[in-house]
Amino acid sequence: MALEEDKARLQATLRRVAEGDEEAWREIIESYGPRVYALLFSRCRNAELAEEITQSTFCTVVTKIEGYQELGKFEPWLFRIAMNRLRDEMRRRGRHAIPVSHEVFGGGQTGDQPEGAQQENRDLGEALWGAIGELAEADQQILHLRHVSEMSFKQIAGVLDQPLGTVLARHFRALKRLREILGDQDGLL
Amino acid sequence: MDNDTHGTSREGNEGHLPSLGIEPLGEGYDDLDHQLDAHLSSTSQEFRSTPVPEGFVDRVFNASMDARDEAEAPLSFTQGLPRQRPVALKLAALAACLGMAVTAAMWLADGRSTRTVPVPGPVVVELETSDMTPNADAMNFSSEAEWAMLASSREHQQLERLSSLVVTRDMGFGDVTGDLVSVIDAIHDPGMQTFDLEWQR
């Protein structure tokens, strides 16, 4: 089974890292670095800050990984460090909700879609992710971890260190609240 | 509210690079919820495909290796610390210092008394004695007569020159306690490093 193979491969790689294998550590960074970066960037919309916190996160992990035993918690551990670092930094900078700009939803389009569809998707993205910025911090985190990091609810519960039921309930309420916020915007739903 | 109805709580997917996509919603969500969730998934593709800056992996790798090396290296200030010595040796050193301090204090006190009290010559106590052997009745003075005799006597002035020696002889431990405290403070003062200098020779 692919999942079991993935888990076994991750376990073996982390064991090599713990033994000081630098190539194994590079593999971990290549696998998880872009995902951590994308999540952080989606939250702060600042490339430099996202990279800085990604670096800080991996620096922390590598200094503590010597005695680490992989029991399926590596990914939640990694992302929790990243989220906490970002939260602390955002608090320090006094920043909270960040407006979504065309830089995010305008630059990544390929030429496959017609211009009209691209513009429609851009408007939808700006509206949706702008509305998410009005949700409570914990609800925002759940939606970002689910849609940007593609994590399961179980993994999200691990990252946020909350019971699975709490995460599911918060997600349910977050969608309802998001619909309320978007209620005034015709045509979105 | 049954939480299990809101999500499928997909098992697994804790491994490398999950490729199963976004976990589908469970039961309990209506059509608009599903529609909103689908919109979020499609638009979040922009974030997921965010390109990392050029050289990103190398920078993260190098920074983390530096962090690991720093964490493994012994702290620099520990290299400058003196090595640990046995407690018995420390106690012996302290006792030796105290002994030397007491000896020095006593020597100083003695030296001060001999220097500040010059003795011009051998002290000779002259006693006038009569050739006659006093009889017992003659030695029976009244107290008034004894006081009068003492008051008129000048012989005690010579004895007063020896008073400082008497003081030195009577000097107790408490008289030099202040000096000892100063010495002990100096030993334990990290700024002075008296103890270490003494034993690093």
Side-chain angles (χ1 to χ4, degrees):
Chain A
M1 189 175 175
L3 272 178
E4 291 303 319
E5 286 176 11
D6 281 345
K7 288 171 74 171
R9 189 156 53 99
L10 175 64
Q11 200 164 0
T13 307
L14 289 174
R15 198 179 303 120
R16 284 165 54 208
V17 172
E19 291 166 357
D21 188 334
E22 296 188 0
E23 274 310 304
W25 179 241
R26 182 179 279 276
E27 284 177 28
I28 293 289
I29 293 174
E30 287 171 351
S31 297
Y32 287 96
R35 286 183 61 207
V36 172
Y37 176 84
L39 174 68
L40 295 170
F41 181 76
S42 75
R43 302 281 291 130
C44 70
R45 316 285 163 76
N46 181 324
E48 287 182 9
L49 180 60
E51 180 172 345
E52 184 183 323
I53 295 175
T54 305
Q55 271 194 22
S56 171
T57 300
F58 279 94
C59 287
T60 300
V61 169
V62 79
T63 56
K64 297 180 185 300
I65 206 163
E66 192 173 352
Y68 179 81
Q69 282 192 329
E70 169 59 0
L71 298 171
K73 304 287 184 185
F74 176 74
E75 194 170 312
W77 178 44
L78 178 70
F79 279 84
R80 186 190 307 168
I81 294 171
M83 295 288 273
N84 289 341
R85 288 280 156 83
L86 179 66
R87 181 199 59 205
D88 294 344
E89 185 60 26
M90 298 291 269
R91 281 180 185 166
R92 197 180 68 78
R93 297 185 179 201
R95 295 176 64 179
H96 299 290
I98 302 168
V100 182
S101 67
H102 285 280
E103 293 173 16
V104 175
F105 288 102
Q109 292 296 323
T110 63
D112 297 341
Q113 290 180 306
E115 179 58 31
Q118 285 186 23
Q119 183 61 41
E120 192 177 318
N121 197 54
R122 191 178 304 150
D123 293 342
L124 181 63
E126 289 174 11
L128 285 176
W129 291 92
I132 285 175
E134 297 180 33
L135 298 175
E137 179 71 18
D139 295 347
Q140 290 185 44
Q141 288 180 340
I142 290 171
L143 292 176
H144 277 84
L145 288 167
R146 170 171 165 76
H147 294 283
V148 179
S149 299
E150 297 186 306
M151 285 187 170
S152 67
F153 286 111
K154 185 181 177 185
Q155 288 175 307
I156 294 171
V159 173
L160 301 180
D161 199 19
Q162 291 178 352
L164 176 61
T166 303
V167 171
L168 290 170
R170 291 207 72 130
H171 177 259
F172 184 81
R173 286 198 298 269
L175 283 189
K176 301 298 180 191
R177 175 73 184 129
L178 203 53
R179 281 169 55 177
E180 289 175 14
I181 295 171
L182 295 168
D184 296 335
Q185 303 181 37
D186 295 334
L188 283 174
L189 294 175
Chain B
M1 185 166 52
D2 183 6
N3 290 323
D4 287 337
T5 62
H6 298 318
T8 60
S9 63
R10 186 180 63 210
E11 293 296 325
N13 197 24
E14 285 91 3
H16 246 163
L17 289 171
S19 55
L20 298 178
I22 295 171
E23 181 180 5
L25 292 177
E27 297 174 1
Y29 294 94
D30 61 23
D31 288 343
L32 279 178
D33 289 333
H34 282 279
Q35 192 179 343
L36 178 58
D37 191 65
H39 282 319
L40 287 171
S41 296
S42 65
T43 53
S44 64
Q45 175 61 32
E46 292 286 343
F47 292 120
R48 288 197 299 275
S49 61
T50 303
V52 295
E54 196 176 340
F56 168 83
V57 170
D58 288 336
R59 285 194 295 276
V60 174
F61 177 78
N62 292 332
S64 55
M65 286 296 100
D66 289 345
R68 188 194 63 177
D69 292 343
E70 283 180 17
E72 287 177 352
L75 297 176
S76 58
F77 63 81
T78 58
Q79 295 172 341
L81 290 176
R83 58 189 170 83
Q84 293 292 316
R85 298 180 180 88
V87 175
L89 183 60
K90 291 179 179 178
L91 288 175
L94 184 61
C97 289
L98 282 173
M100 285 191 291
V102 170
T103 305
M106 295 298 288
W107 180 80
L108 284 174
D110 278 342
R112 188 180 300 120
S113 64
T114 53
R115 281 195 303 273
T116 56
V117 184
V119 179
V123 178
V124 178
V125 179
E126 296 177 2
L127 296 175
E128 292 181 0
T129 56
S130 67
D131 294 335
M132 295 175 63
T133 302
N135 58 25
D137 294 337
M139 297 298 286
N140 291 330
F141 299 112
S142 65
S143 60
E144 291 80 4
E146 285 184 343
W147 279 114
M149 290 170 66
L150 285 171
S152 61
S153 173
R154 293 292 179 268
E155 298 300 329
H156 67 282
Q157 291 175 349
Q158 291 179 330
L159 293 173
E160 282 178 356
R161 294 178 180 174
L162 303 173
S163 61
S164 58
L165 294 176
V166 174
V167 169
T168 306
R169 184 199 65 193
D170 292 339
M171 188 168 65
F173 181 80
D175 297 313
V176 294
T177 303
D179 293 331
L180 285 175
V181 169
S182 301
V183 171
I184 292 169
D185 286 344
I187 290 170
H188 289 91
D189 185 354
M192 297 182 71
Q193 293 289 308
T194 314
F195 178 82
D196 290 334
L197 288 174
E198 182 71 25
W199 290 92
Q200 281 173 1
R201 286 177 192 153

